[in-house]
Amino acid sequence: MENIAWMAWTLPTAIFFVMLALTLGVMTWLGIAYPEAERVGILRIPTTRGDRLFISLVTAAVIHLLWIAFVGTDPLLTLPIGEGVEISSLWLATLISLVSAVAIFRTV
């Protein structure tokens, strides 16, 4: 475990990596079960599911970085659980990222 001690392994970090692994697993399964042909969307370049996933992940990273730079990570509210669980404003950036990913998969 000392090899990865430099990483801040928190619950949100673990959730992120588990969701990323699940996404890659589902995309692999979809590629095997339902092979696809490239399609041309609003970018006017042929893209596959993997291309659209990559574009949406990069877009999500940019959205989160811009959110941190311009809005910050101040808590929106505190849930009355234990000593209080703070809900960060980054969840709004995550929601925006999910909406943009849906738009990318439908139009690009």
Side-chain angles (χ1 to χ4, degrees), residues 17 25 33-34 37 49 53 55 59 63 71 85 96:
F17 282 106
Y34 303 103
R49 273 188 217 112
L53 176 63
I55 292 168
T59 302
I63 289 170
V71 177
V85 176
I96 294 168

Side-chain angles (χ1 to χ4, degrees), residues 4-84:
I4 58 172
W6 58 269
M7 181 71 173
W9 290 105
T10 61
L11 182 61
T13 305
I15 291 171
F16 171 78
F17 282 106
V18 166
M19 294 306 293
L20 185 60
L22 287 173
T23 301
L24 292 174
V26 168
M27 292 294 286
T28 301
W29 174 77
L30 282 172
I32 293 168
Y34 303 103
E36 69 166 334
E38 292 180 339
R39 70 175 197 197
V40 177
I42 60 171
L43 294 180
R44 301 291 181 233
I45 58 172
T47 60
T48 63
R49 273 188 217 112
D51 298 331
R52 293 186 293 275
L53 176 63
F54 179 75
I55 292 168
S56 64
L57 289 174
V58 170
T59 302
V62 170
I63 289 170
H64 280 82
L65 289 173
L66 290 173
W67 189 275
I68 291 169
F70 294 113
V71 177
T73 61
D74 295 333
L76 293 175
L77 60 115
T78 303
L79 298 177
I81 300 173
E83 296 179 17

